Amino acid sequence: MAEPKRLREHWGTRLGVILAVMGSAVGLGNFLRFPGLAAKYEGGAFMIPYFIALLLLGLPLAWAEWAMGRYGGTRGYNSTPGIYRAIWKNKASPYFGVLGMIVPVVIYMYYVFIEAWCLAYAFFIATGKLDLGKTDKKPYEDFFSNFVGLSQDGFLLETGRLNTAVMFLIGCFALNFLLIYRGLRKGIEWFCRWAMPALILCAFIVLARVLTLGTPDPAKPELNVLNGLGFMWNPRTETQGFVESLLNGQMWLEATSQIFFSLSVGFGVIITYASYLKKDDDIALSALTSCAGNEFCEVSLGGMITIPAAFVFLGAAGTVGGTFGLGFMTLPMVFANMPLGQFVGTVFFSLLFLAAVTSSLSMLQPAIALLEEGLGLDRKSSVAMLGFVTLIGSLFIVYFSKDLLALDTFDFWVGTFGIFLLATFQVLLFGWVLGRQAGMDEIDRGAEIRVPRIVGFVIKYVSPVYLIGIFIFWFRQQIKDGAYFRAIAEQATARYSVIFIGIVLLFFLLLIHQSVKRWDRKDKAQTEVSP
Amino acid sequence: MTTGGWIVMLLSVGFVTGLFGWCIGKVLATPGAETHMHTQSDIVPPDQEA
């Protein structure tokens, strides 16, 4: 197999490495998804499945995924199907790589829409359109509902109106693909090396402001920052015991998936990027620092800002609404109540947009790698094909906007369940196929720190049992009260969304099948040349 | 804020801050980290232009 090209070296200083880590770490998940989930489930009790998932799954699997990616890369493969083929000499192995294709591609289809919301909100706050009052959340809810088309399907695509959300989506889509098509990702990454730490600095400023809010409304002394922190961190035991509150299978599944989503593990992205490393580049300290940086942004910043700020101004009612409610209804109101809020809000949403762009660009690379090495397409043809596929998906999401059901369905079946499945497969591949010893040797190669040997034991024995256990726990709960299964049965949009995901899955299975035939022909030709 | 809440918050924030701080210290103390360490954001696939 050809030796992979050596990376150009970008960093002049170790400070540059830390800035890059922070750039990788920060994202929408830290400030929007994590606080929303924590508020949705039992407050402080949520942190138990969260940290267990971090230590038993997130960190070990991050190391495993980096290792498997570099292992496949040194054997000439950069796509997930190819890497799996290099690790597991079984005819079926590349086909399991379909998960590594549909997870980033389908997530990209709705992620770019949310990215457009961030850009739009930065614009709206900057132009004063989002100063809708300081005490009533309804105008902000109505604004968001109107903006994204919550009221009915097809709202955003009604003829005769150039819809703002669609304009911003087209702009973001075009920006993403222009950058990828022109290969200018390095340019945007250079800019984001400074912009992302600026986002973290901005988050610190907002955090300081939130923690010094005290009691903004003397007429409501119970709405104070300490109670706001309590709402986020207190284990909620008003209606059930603490142990009972932990027996929620959906909470464990979503805590686990949040870890994977936030760390970009089980996404199909890290394994692809790791395949471009040299065989003696460090994995151990790089992966650990990246995960630690992400957790710092998520728990210490995201966890301390969004929910307490929402509570202080709006009470418990202000904390509901999930990810989107918090990010796009509550936060603008928080900024409206804050001195210099218009400036801080504009900067905050602008930088969130940039964080989203860097994430969305990286989601396209796994599929590009397959199209290039599996089908022999050049980069520009690969990008064009991928652009077409993802545009159809994004338009699907835009059309079926009522209650954001299509987006929510995609997010659950692919962004939660799909990631969970992919992570489970990768754990088994690393622990049982590559093998504990070979896997740990791969992590140790070039490592700047020695990863504890117990990590190999955890990946091989503990992680699979934990993942399968959560799955059974969750599945039994779904049999009794399966909201997502019921949605498929009862709601046409959910059915169409699942069918759409199925079509994308079939599409990539066909591509993988063609790729396998091509790889087999190449291997046979090489064997004949040098028996 | 209950006692349980304080414990959860301080342990959670303390753990992640401590871990990240340790990692930063390790990076700063590692000679050659600037060429040897990589994150997703600085890895450029070989087929992208300079």
Side-chain angles (χ1 to χ4, degrees), chain A residues 207-515:
Chain A
L207 175 66
R209 185 68 195 101
V210 168
L211 294 180
T212 52
L213 280 170
T215 310
D217 186 354
K220 295 178 186 170
E222 72 282 6
L223 297 186
N224 58 65
V225 69
L226 213 53
N227 282 350
L229 286 171
F231 191 87
M232 172 71 193
W233 297 104
N234 290 345
R236 273 178 232 141
T237 53
E238 298 89 14
T239 54
Q240 58 185 345
F242 181 72
V243 172
E244 254 182 289
S245 71
L246 290 177
L247 294 179
N248 182 344
Q250 183 79 9
M251 178 174 75
W252 285 80
L253 180 74
E254 294 218 64
T256 304
S257 292
Q258 172 60 19
I259 284 288
F260 290 152
F261 198 102
S262 197
L263 299 181
S264 299
V265 161
F267 231 89
V269 169
I270 284 184
I271 198 168
T272 295
Y273 276 95
S275 70
Y276 300 114
L277 291 176
K278 291 178 287 195
K279 65 179 180 198
D280 57 350
D281 275 331
D282 167 76
I283 284 176
L285 182 56
S286 302
L288 179 64
T289 307
S290 196
C291 292
N294 180 79
E295 290 308 308
F296 175 78
C297 291
E298 183 142 300
V299 176
S300 300
L301 295 177
M304 299 287 282
I305 292 175
T306 320
I307 296 288
F311 184 92
V312 160
F313 290 108
L314 304 169
T319 64
V320 298
T323 304
F324 303 132
L326 277 173
F328 297 98
M329 294 180 225
T330 304
L331 269 184
M333 192 168 168
V334 169
F335 289 127
N337 276 279
M338 198 183 281
L340 292 180
Q342 188 174 12
F343 173 74
V344 175
T346 304
V347 170
F348 191 76
F349 275 100
S350 300
L351 294 174
L352 267 189
F353 163 71
L354 284 174
V357 167
T358 57
S359 296
S360 62
L361 290 177
S362 67
M363 287 179 205
L364 299 172
Q365 187 59 35
I368 291 173
L370 176 69
L371 292 171
E372 287 179 333
E373 77 181 20
L375 300 186
L377 297 182
D378 62 29
R379 187 175 180 81
K380 293 192 171 176
S381 304
S382 306
V383 168
M385 186 189 281
L386 193 59
F388 179 69
V389 170
T390 51
L391 182 63
I392 295 174
S394 293
L395 289 176
F396 182 96
I397 299 278
V398 163
Y399 181 82
F400 290 106
S401 59
K402 185 169 188 290
D403 299 325
L404 294 176
L405 182 54
L407 194 158
D408 190 46
T409 306
F410 275 37
D411 186 47
F412 177 74
W413 287 109
V414 178
T416 299
F417 193 73
I419 290 180
F420 189 87
L421 278 183
L422 179 55
T424 304
F425 178 76
Q426 289 190 161
V427 152
L428 293 171
L429 193 69
F430 183 89
W432 293 89
V433 179
L434 184 61
R436 190 169 147 192
Q437 190 59 54
M440 294 307 291
D441 287 345
E442 187 64 38
I443 293 173
D444 286 342
R445 189 171 298 116
E448 295 292 352
I449 57 170
R450 184 158 168 81
V451 172
R453 302 298 88 182
I454 195 165
V455 169
F457 176 86
V458 166
I459 295 176
K460 184 163 184 174
Y461 297 108
V462 179
S463 302
V465 170
Y466 182 82
L467 284 163
I468 292 166
I470 290 179
F471 178 75
I472 294 172
F473 198 11
W474 168 81
F475 192 73
R476 285 177 63 183
Q477 199 172 355
Q478 290 300 307
I479 301 285
K480 274 197 265 182
D481 172 30
Y484 287 100
F485 288 116
R486 218 173 38 248
I488 294 172
E490 293 170 4
Q491 301 192 58
T493 300
R495 266 198 306 282
Y496 298 153
S497 301
V498 170
I499 290 169
F500 186 90
I501 293 168
I503 292 170
V504 175
L505 181 89
L506 276 173
F507 172 71
F508 276 106
L509 279 172
L510 281 170
L511 291 185
I512 291 169
H513 184 64
Q514 292 304 312
S515 303

Side-chain angles (χ1 to χ4, degrees), chain A residues 114-136:
Chain A
I114 300 169
E115 180 178 305
W117 300 350
C118 293
L119 180 62
Y121 267 56
F123 173 77
F124 293 144
I125 292 177
T127 53
K129 288 190 169 65
L130 259 173
D131 189 359
L132 301 171
K134 293 184 190 312
T135 52
D136 185 6

Side-chain angles (χ1 to χ4, degrees), chain A residues 515-527:
Chain A
S515 303
V516 168
K517 282 162 65 173
R518 191 162 181 268
W519 291 329
D520 286 342
R521 280 196 301 271
K522 274 172 78 172
D523 287 347
K524 197 176 167 197
Q526 278 185 333
T527 312

